[in-house]
Amino acid sequence: MSDEEAEAARQELLLLKIEHQDLDAAIAAMNLQGIGDQIQIQRLKKRKLQLKDRIYQLEDMLYPDIIA
């Protein structure tokens, strides 16, 4: 992986983590206030899981496990 690719991956990782935190806060607020329907909450949770999977992929690319 080149330096440019690694930097792009780090930038994407940062943005995904921010979006993941924002979704977590939105879901918590919707549940707390009792607003929004269950379908909307399920969609947000599904998106959150997709983000988490992509975050793990990027972290694995950037910081591979090295067994010595």
Side-chain angles (χ1 to χ4, degrees):
M1 176 180 291
S2 71
D3 288 341
E4 292 174 0
E5 291 172 334
E7 184 58 36
R10 280 190 286 276
Q11 185 66 26
E12 182 182 358
L13 181 61
L14 177 64
L15 294 174
L16 292 175
K17 285 183 175 183
I18 291 169
E19 185 178 352
H20 187 271
Q21 290 172 347
D22 290 346
L23 280 174
D24 195 35
I27 291 168
M30 291 174 83
N31 283 328
L32 185 64
Q33 296 175 357
I35 60 172
D37 57 20
Q38 289 301 315
I39 294 173
Q40 184 180 15
I41 292 172
Q42 285 303 109
R43 286 182 184 142
L44 292 176
K45 287 181 178 181
K46 184 176 180 179
R47 175 65 180 149
K48 188 176 157 190
L49 285 174
Q50 291 170 339
L51 290 173
K52 189 173 185 178
D53 287 343
R54 182 63 180 148
I55 288 169
Y56 285 146
Q57 288 174 349
L58 289 171
E59 286 177 340
D60 193 41
M61 279 181 10
L62 290 169
Y63 315 111
D65 292 336
I66 299 174
I67 300 173

